[in-house]
Amino acid sequence: MDDQDQRQEEDERGPIGIFPNWAAVYWSVVIYTAVLIAVLWIFTVVLNYSVR
Amino acid sequence: MNPIDWGVFALYFGGVVAFAWFQSRKNEGVEGYFLANRRLPWAAVGLSVMATQASAITFIGTTGQAFDEGMEFIQIYLPQPLVMVLLCVLFVPFFYRAKVFTAYEYLENRFDPKTRSLTSFLFLVSRGLAAGLVLYAPAIVLSVIMGWDETVTILVMAAVTIAYTLMGGITAVIWTDVIQMLMMFVGIGVALFILFTTLPSGVTVTDVAYIGGIQEMWTSIDWSWDPSNRYTIWSGMIGGFFLALAYFGTDQSQVQRYLTASSLKQSRLSLIFNAFVKVPMQFFILSIGVLLFVFYHFEQPPLVFNNAEVQVVMESERAEDYQALEVAQSAVHGERRASTLELLDARHSGDMARIADLQSTISGQDERLVELRQEAKAIVSEVRGASSNDVNYVFPSYIVKYIPAGVLGLLIAVIFAAAMSSLDSELTALSSATVIDFYKRWFREDASDAHYLLVSKISTFIWGVLACFVALYAGQLGSLIEAVNEVGSYFYGSLLGVFLLAFLWKPANGHGAFWGLVAGMGSVFGLSLVTEIAYLWFNVIGTVAVLAVGIAVSAFTGGRDGGRASPA
């Protein structure tokens, strides 16, 4: 394993910013997507003033 | 444009070229030219990924689309955060660790040369033409709206882009993309701010939301299951998911970007950045369109926004019919303007009975105006013998008429920036696929780095000239380009199928991948002839067909026979 590969292995294991690991980052994106859909749905319902 | 606008515009061009030249000094050899010696930070790569996807037509076309149909187009972007996660988990590690220059190079490592060559060839054909359209589409809009010469507009955009791409390769491209993307953010903010300030005094943000809501313009989620309905949550989350995965995971113009990152972690972070920013950005771009819809309740819009189309009609025997529609539109618009102002008064004073009555009146007037616009477009289509599509002209015609001096120059520069930041990425991607997948693979395997660098620059130049040629003759090529573009949409899902077969099905071999790809494209093409399924579903069908046929053919031809070991 060369230096670059070793550095990448360390990247894989270490914390990612405020997140403890990559799995936490990915789950935050999944939750974020769900929140986006929910917010847009609320948006759709609340801002519908159609008289049809 | 006045001198201030020209000054802003010149500052943009000068800044981009100077910055590209400054960045270009850091490149070394072919790896520097195509992959920036794999040393770029995630923020620059992330913004470049975003800028590559956001072409000028994204900026001016989607605002026009929201003006006509509201926010529903946002559904196509909703799966993108999830796509970014899948790319980080599955695609990026394979590409990054294989140390490849192109996505298709990986397919030879995994399958065989014919699969690599076919996928790379499909990319070159579709992206080669798309590069021309990236130039042509904004140039034609600016020529109609600003009165600029179309040929000069195309040549200026192309010359500057080719120059800085040749000079600095991917490093210059990515760093100029950063500036261009930041300019787009500023442009979106400025456009929203100016739109609010040009509304009549006393019209508040809640009033804007309310007026848009009467015609359901804020409807962002549609739960219906109709497969012929272009934009629903299902076509967005399923069809859009496959489309985005194919684009970000298999298109060299995107893969090349995240291969330039300094580490696997930086590469992943650039995509996670996109996961969080892309949807809100698209929301704001679409909001500009809805705000325009509200704005034109108070100012009279043109019946058809493309002046060139209107002029053709005025010189035809249908001119009187068109003028009659304009008179009718003017009358209905006047009535709607009065009703809207009255409604806002009633709303502020809490007169509920009057509100309900006026809402119903405005809704009817909105529908009448939509009908008049459709009738006008039908006349345009009849006279021109081609369908009228003035969606791309809605936003530019607004900025030319209502935006103050200085800001107009900025927004026109933003349109240029959007076009150039897509074109530069296409050129580096086309050049890398040409040189790495064909020239180096089939013609000169053992030449020096300096030789490949020279060929890469020549290739970039040739693709740039070809893009110019396509853009200059796109008007005459017309239906041919549309046909090639349509065929292009047929194989995106199939390309994705090949990569998924490579990553996920260990027994798959080169025969399975190759014939799976052919079967995927064939099945999508066949279905498009006999059904009216919305195009987003083609990506799902293509992917599934490749996987099914690829797995079956691999099994019948002895499993993983000719493929080399996976680098992962």
Side-chain angles (χ1 to χ4, degrees):
Chain A
M1 185 182 280
D2 63 21
D3 283 353
Q4 197 186 357
D5 289 339
Q6 198 167 353
R7 205 171 59 239
Q8 280 175 11
E9 288 301 318
E10 284 164 13
D11 280 351
E12 291 289 292
R13 288 194 298 268
I16 316 297
I18 57 168
F19 298 96
N21 51 43
W22 279 109
V25 175
Y26 299 150
W27 277 111
S28 75
V29 174
V30 173
I31 293 165
Y32 171 72
T33 308
V35 170
L36 276 179
I37 293 171
V39 168
L40 288 172
W41 171 236
I42 292 168
F43 205 65
T44 300
V45 174
V46 171
L47 296 182
N48 185 350
Y49 298 102
S50 168
V51 289
R52 275 177 285 177
Chain B
M1 292 208 299
N2 69 22
I4 303 171
D5 292 317
W6 281 111
V8 173
F9 200 57
L11 197 66
Y12 159 71
F13 268 102
V16 163
V17 174
F19 191 65
W21 174 78
F22 177 74
Q23 289 296 338
S24 66
R25 300 171 308 155
K26 299 170 186 172
N27 277 348
E28 283 175 27
V30 166
E31 191 169 15
Y33 189 73
F34 285 139
L35 295 178
N37 299 111
R38 303 179 201 261
R39 58 175 170 72
L40 296 183
W42 66 265
V45 177
L47 283 166
S48 181
V49 164
M50 197 175 273
T52 299
Q53 191 192 18
S55 69
I57 289 302
T58 309
F59 195 63
I60 58 182
T62 48
T63 47
Q65 193 160 359
F67 171 82
D68 270 341
E69 296 172 18
M71 301 288 289
E72 61 179 15
F73 190 60
I74 192 117
Q75 292 168 113
I76 200 174
Y77 292 96
L78 288 175
Q80 283 200 14
L82 302 179
V83 165
M84 296 302 161
V85 168
L86 191 55
L87 288 170
C88 289
V89 173
L90 192 61
F91 285 63
V92 181
F94 275 96
F95 290 142
Y96 206 88
R97 287 174 185 152
K99 293 187 168 61
V100 289
F101 277 71
T102 74
Y104 320 109
E105 191 181 355
Y106 170 78
L107 291 179
E108 180 169 357
N109 295 347
R110 174 66 178 83
F111 293 129
D112 56 18
K114 69 176 184 295
T115 306
R116 171 189 183 177
S117 297
L118 178 60
T119 50
S120 188
F121 175 74
L122 291 173
F123 166 76
L124 289 176
V125 172
S126 65
R127 281 292 152 195
L129 280 161
L133 294 183
V134 160
L135 279 173
Y136 171 72
I140 188 81
V141 172
L142 290 171
S143 70
V144 171
I145 298 291
M146 306 292 295
W148 293 352
D149 184 88
E150 189 185 311
T151 306
V152 173
T153 310
I154 288 171
L155 291 176
V156 168
M157 263 197 283
V160 175
T161 312
I162 293 169
Y164 75 71
T165 307
L166 269 178
M167 208 161 39
I170 192 90
T171 310
V173 166
I174 285 183
W175 282 110
T176 49
D177 282 358
V178 169
I179 298 182
Q180 288 162 340
M181 199 60 230
L182 293 175
M183 278 188 67
M184 273 189 257
F185 286 144
V186 172
I188 293 165
V190 167
L192 285 168
F193 176 76
I194 300 279
L195 262 164
F196 273 113
T197 59
T198 49
L199 289 167
S201 63
V203 177
T204 62
V205 176
T206 53
D207 291 336
V208 169
Y210 179 65
I211 296 166
I214 294 172
Q215 206 58 27
E216 299 180 48
M217 298 300 276
W218 299 109
T219 296
S220 310
I221 304 286
D222 178 352
W223 297 100
S224 70
W225 268 105
D226 181 2
S228 63
N229 191 351
R230 274 188 309 170
Y231 306 117
T232 65
I233 190 71
W234 311 113
S235 70
M237 290 304 289
I238 303 170
F241 180 89
F242 278 80
L243 175 65
L245 192 59
Y247 174 60
F248 288 102
T250 74
D251 193 305
Q252 173 67 4
S253 62
Q254 285 294 358
V255 174
Q256 189 174 18
R257 249 120 283 281
Y258 49 79
L259 289 178
T260 62
S262 60
S263 67
L264 182 56
K265 179 182 178 181
Q266 295 286 312
S267 190
R268 283 172 165 159
L269 282 174
S270 72
L271 295 175
I272 294 299
F273 168 77
N274 273 269
F276 282 105
V277 179
K278 181 68 193 177
V279 178
M281 185 190 88
Q282 209 58 45
F283 178 86
F284 287 119
I285 291 178
L286 287 165
S287 297
I288 293 172
V290 178
L291 276 175
L292 281 168
F293 171 80
V294 174
F295 172 81
Y296 281 124
H297 277 64
F298 304 103
E299 293 286 330
Q300 186 171 345
L303 197 48
V304 170
F305 286 84
N306 184 344
N307 272 335
E309 288 183 346
V310 175
Q311 276 171 10
V312 172
V313 172
M314 287 308 180
E315 288 160 12
S316 76
E317 57 186 24
R318 298 297 305 274
E320 276 185 27
D321 298 332
Y322 187 87
Q323 281 167 332
L325 289 176
E326 280 188 323
V327 171
Q329 185 225 19
S330 182
V332 179
H333 170 77
E335 288 165 15
R336 187 179 68 170
R337 185 179 195 280
S339 304
T340 306
L341 289 169
E342 206 179 326
L343 173 65
L344 293 180
D345 265 350
R347 194 164 176 262
H348 295 160
S349 61
D351 185 347
M352 299 310 288
R354 188 112 190 85
I355 288 173
D357 187 33
L358 284 164
Q359 259 182 259
S360 179
T361 305
I362 291 172
S363 183
Q365 289 160 341
D366 278 340
E367 280 166 21
R368 179 68 189 128
L369 286 169
V370 169
E371 281 169 15
L372 288 168
R373 189 161 143 71
Q374 282 167 350
E375 285 173 39
K377 283 181 161 189
I379 291 178
V380 170
S381 302
E382 186 192 312
V383 171
R384 290 176 68 238
S387 61
S388 163
N389 186 4
D390 72 338
V391 160
N392 294 335
Y393 295 81
V394 175
F395 183 56
S397 72
Y398 164 81
I399 63 175
V400 168
K401 199 166 175 189
Y402 298 101
I403 292 277
V407 181
L408 173 63
L410 172 75
L411 289 180
I412 297 290
V414 167
I415 294 173
F416 268 71
M420 291 161 63
S421 62
S422 294
L423 179 66
D424 59 13
S425 304
E426 306 284 12
L427 292 182
T428 47
L430 287 164
S431 177
S432 61
T434 307
V435 175
I436 305 295
D437 291 332
F438 290 97
Y439 184 77
K440 189 175 178 186
R441 175 65 183 81
W442 297 108
F443 300 104
R444 286 288 297 272
E445 252 182 288
D446 298 317
S448 67
D449 200 50
H451 174 81
Y452 289 128
L453 183 59
L454 177 67
V455 173
S456 303
K457 291 193 173 190
I458 292 170
S459 169
T460 304
F461 181 75
I462 291 172
W463 279 112
V465 171
L466 198 66
C468 260
F469 182 81
V470 172
L472 289 172
Y473 291 96
Q476 285 94 315
L477 295 173
S479 57
L480 173 67
I481 286 190
E482 274 176 31
V484 173
N485 250 0
E486 206 175 311
V487 172
S489 73
Y490 295 161
F491 58 68
Y492 239 162
S494 304
L495 275 180
L496 174 63
V498 174
F499 280 92
L500 289 179
L501 198 66
F503 297 148
L504 300 176
W505 193 254
K506 282 189 178 173
N509 63 27
H511 301 303
F514 184 83
W515 291 111
L517 180 57
V518 173
M521 289 189 294
S523 57
V524 170
F525 183 70
L527 274 176
S528 73
L529 293 177
V530 296
T531 66
E532 291 192 357
I533 296 172
Y535 76 97
L536 281 172
W537 293 105
F538 288 159
N539 300 292
V540 185
I541 294 161
T543 307
V544 172
V546 171
L547 289 173
V549 174
I551 290 170
V553 171
S554 297
F556 282 113
T557 52
R560 195 165 175 170
D561 56 355
R564 288 165 223 168
S566 168

